[in-house]
Amino acid sequence: MASKTTLNAKNLETLGAMRLAELLIEISTGSAVAKRRLRLELAGAQSPKEAGREVAKRLTSIARARSFVNWQNRKPLVTDLEIQLRAIREQIAPADATEALALTWRFMQVATPLFDRCDDSSGIVIGVFHDACALLGEIALAAGTLPEALADAVIEALRDNGYGQYDGLIAILSPALGAEGLAHLKARIEALAATPVPVPPKGQWEAVGYGSGGATYAHQMEERARQSLVRMALKDIADAMGDVDAFIAQYDPATRKVPKIAAEIANRLLAAGRAGDALGFLDRAEFRDRAWVPEEWQAARLDVLEALGRTDEVQSFRLECYHRSLAADHLRAYLKRLADFDDVEAEELAMAHAVAYPEPLSALHFLIHWPALDRAAQLVQQRFDELDGDRYEILTPAAEALSARYPLAASLALRAMIDFTLNAGRSSRYQHAARHLAECEALASQIEDFGTAEPHANYVARLRRDHGRKSGFWSRVEGK
């Protein structure tokens, strides 16, 4: 059984309401966030309407504030925002969905003035607004908002999406918009598409930035924003309506050949039962370098070929994908579909390909995780001179994985890191390099034949000869 002093709701109840109230006052002293939370709870206890007033007042205060929010005071801000959003969702929405919807829109409108004065390099703050944006969809459906009014609100929101707070809004609200709302929204966006930003007389142009091409003017920025809004909105509306041709129409013919865009189009065509058309777009994609093919395009092509029943081509393409990038998932799928015993020979050939792969560390990472430790050891021993000792995130786990059965290969992986550290004079890594050298010494007793590699004693002697003056390293080796 839990101790009577364990902090849980049941034990705290024994303190009684008066004592708990005194403790809350004491704990909240000096904490603005805690005080606001308590006031909000008191308001909610009176009525959802009172809670709504408290939330509205706090949102106005946040929007009007001018102090800069840095990483040190970002957490209290996030807590504050989450408290307001929770109150809307849990205290207000169940009683009055219309009021909750108005407050959620008001919450979203705080984003622009807030981000103007906020460092959100961690992405935590925008995450709260994305949660609020998702809540709009839930509450709008419950509130039964008129579709045309909701569509008009979407337009205004998208005009104020400078920080991406409204990303995905059309998809989120599509259930509440319905066919009528989406049609009205499309008509509004098409009207906007046909209405370019007026160009003022040249003497009234307002410069807002400068670049290699000269000045950028306010009306030009506004026009770019209009065009971007139109393109993104029409694509999202097409998706919401299931109109793949309207989605495709938002890209010019040249852009449709970009592999990632071709994959987006193909996925939508496939979902619409048009696999043949999807393959056409994928085949017309243009690549700057066939050595690197986007995973999205590869995945789309496999799905389309599967849908068309072209099994042999699917298998050939899986193997091609593996050969190009050592993608383990493609190889596993390829081997899984081979007849018994054929898969063993195919896997051996695949591992041989990995050992000879142009990027040895990518190959080593693949072989360690496949796992094929014998081939990983072979790669390290045969291609030691190609190993980049700066890639400790690959070499360290490789040395650990190889140490039990392949001590020579493990030792060579460690030497690659030691050599890089000393040759580059990376004093911040001397401690790690000294540890690696100690690990090499422990492994040396397990190595019967160093082959073409230096025996451990010779290796240490060379390090002392070439790097004897790096006292920071040697003091750690000797434990001083």
Side-chain angles (χ1 to χ4, degrees):
M1 294 179 63
S3 166
K4 292 183 179 180
T5 59
T6 301
L7 283 176
N8 56 42
K10 185 175 181 180
N11 286 344
L12 288 172
E13 282 179 10
T14 64
L15 297 176
M18 180 60 72
R19 181 56 183 152
L20 283 172
E22 291 171 350
L23 285 171
L24 284 171
I25 291 295
E26 179 183 334
I27 291 168
S28 66
T29 300
S31 172
V33 171
K35 286 182 178 179
R36 282 193 288 269
R37 174 69 187 276
L38 290 173
R39 279 196 293 269
L40 188 52
E41 288 294 329
L42 289 171
Q46 294 182 58
S47 70
K49 189 171 288 294
E50 281 301 314
R53 290 195 186 98
E54 195 69 27
V55 170
K57 184 168 68 174
R58 182 58 192 151
L59 293 177
T60 299
S61 177
I62 295 172
R64 289 179 177 173
R66 292 292 177 265
S67 58
F68 186 76
V69 180
N70 59 24
W71 67 271
Q72 293 172 306
N73 50 20
R74 186 169 53 214
K75 188 174 181 180
L77 167 69
V78 169
T79 301
D80 193 359
L81 290 170
E82 289 175 338
I83 288 170
Q84 309 310 318
L85 193 60
R86 189 182 306 118
I88 295 171
R89 179 188 290 112
E90 298 176 3
Q91 294 179 259
I92 302 164
D96 189 343
T98 301
E99 173 66 12
L101 182 61
L103 281 171
T104 309
W105 280 119
R106 192 165 182 175
F107 185 102
M108 293 299 298
Q109 290 160 5
V110 169
T112 294
L114 174 57
F115 283 117
D116 285 344
R117 62 181 182 89
C118 178
D119 167 21
D120 189 36
S121 53
S122 65
I124 296 174
V125 182
I126 193 65
V128 180
F129 284 97
H130 287 161
D131 289 344
C133 193
L135 184 61
L136 279 172
E138 299 174 26
I139 300 178
L141 203 56
T145 310
L146 291 174
E148 290 192 1
L150 189 58
D152 292 338
V154 170
I155 294 282
E156 294 309 308
L158 294 179
R159 289 181 186 275
D160 186 34
N161 194 32
Y163 292 97
Q165 65 269 32
Y166 288 109
D167 286 355
L169 179 64
I170 292 174
I172 288 168
L173 288 177
S174 62
L177 285 165
E180 181 184 348
L182 286 169
H184 180 71
L185 179 59
K186 184 177 181 181
R188 288 282 317 266
I189 293 293
E190 287 175 340
L192 181 62
T195 312
V197 173
V199 179
K202 192 149 190 177
Q204 298 176 21
W205 288 14
E206 178 188 354
V208 292
Y210 296 89
S212 58
T216 299
Y217 297 95
H219 67 277
Q220 294 173 330
M221 293 290 289
E222 190 178 346
E223 174 62 15
R224 290 172 192 168
R226 181 192 70 87
Q227 293 178 11
S228 176
L229 188 159
V230 166
R231 282 194 304 271
M232 297 303 296
L234 287 176
K235 282 191 290 184
D236 289 348
I237 292 168
D239 274 343
M241 290 180 160
D243 188 344
V244 65
D245 292 309
F247 179 88
I248 296 170
Q250 301 314 308
Y251 294 105
D252 60 65
T255 304
R256 295 171 197 172
K257 295 179 181 180
V258 174
K260 286 188 177 182
I261 302 300
E264 286 187 25
I265 293 171
N267 286 331
R268 286 163 173 79
L269 286 167
L270 183 59
R274 296 165 59 184
D277 292 340
L279 185 59
F281 276 95
L282 293 170
D283 285 343
R284 289 190 291 273
E286 296 178 351
F287 300 86
R288 292 183 181 178
D289 181 3
R290 269 287 184 175
W292 181 83
V293 177
E295 178 58 36
E296 298 92 335
W297 185 88
Q298 294 181 162
R301 186 173 182 82
L302 285 168
D303 289 341
V304 169
L305 290 173
E306 289 265 28
L308 291 169
R310 292 157 70 163
T311 307
D312 290 344
E313 289 181 60
V314 172
Q315 280 291 78
S316 295
F317 188 62
R318 285 194 181 108
L319 192 57
E320 179 187 328
C321 292
Y322 165 72
H323 283 157
R324 183 186 297 115
S325 61
L326 297 185
D329 53 345
H330 290 308
L331 179 59
R332 291 190 195 283
Y334 172 78
L335 295 175
K336 184 178 179 181
R337 287 159 178 81
L338 292 178
D340 289 346
F341 304 111
D342 288 348
D343 59 339
V344 176
E345 182 181 355
E347 184 174 352
E348 276 299 306
L349 290 172
M351 296 306 107
H353 172 78
V355 172
Y357 192 69
E359 299 172 16
L361 285 177
S362 296
L364 180 60
H365 178 79
F366 166 79
L367 292 166
I368 290 295
H369 289 85
W370 179 258
L373 298 185
D374 57 336
R375 292 292 195 166
Q378 178 188 354
L379 183 149
V380 170
Q381 292 175 220
Q382 291 180 354
R383 305 179 66 183
F384 172 73
D385 292 340
E386 299 176 56
L387 301 182
D388 179 359
D390 193 24
R391 299 293 302 278
Y392 55 87
E393 75 280 5
I394 294 176
L395 290 168
T396 300
E400 291 173 0
L402 293 168
S403 59
R405 293 173 55 195
Y406 303 97
L408 176 57
S411 185
L412 291 175
L414 293 167
R415 287 185 188 184
M417 292 185 284
I418 297 168
D419 291 346
F420 173 83
T421 298
L422 295 178
N423 290 333
R426 295 286 180 87
S427 57
S428 61
R429 295 193 191 176
Y430 282 174
Q431 182 176 353
H432 300 294
R435 187 182 74 252
H436 292 154
L437 188 59
E439 291 169 2
C440 286
E441 184 170 358
L443 290 167
S445 62
Q446 305 172 41
I447 301 171
E448 297 178 0
D449 181 7
F450 279 86
T452 59
E454 287 178 294
H456 179 70
N458 294 11
Y459 176 66
V460 174
R462 181 168 61 79
L463 291 183
R464 288 194 177 276
R465 184 188 71 231
D466 295 344
H467 304 285
R469 294 186 178 183
K470 293 183 171 71
S471 57
F473 168 70
W474 293 110
S475 63
R476 287 172 170 80
V477 170
E478 293 158 3
K480 294 180 181 179

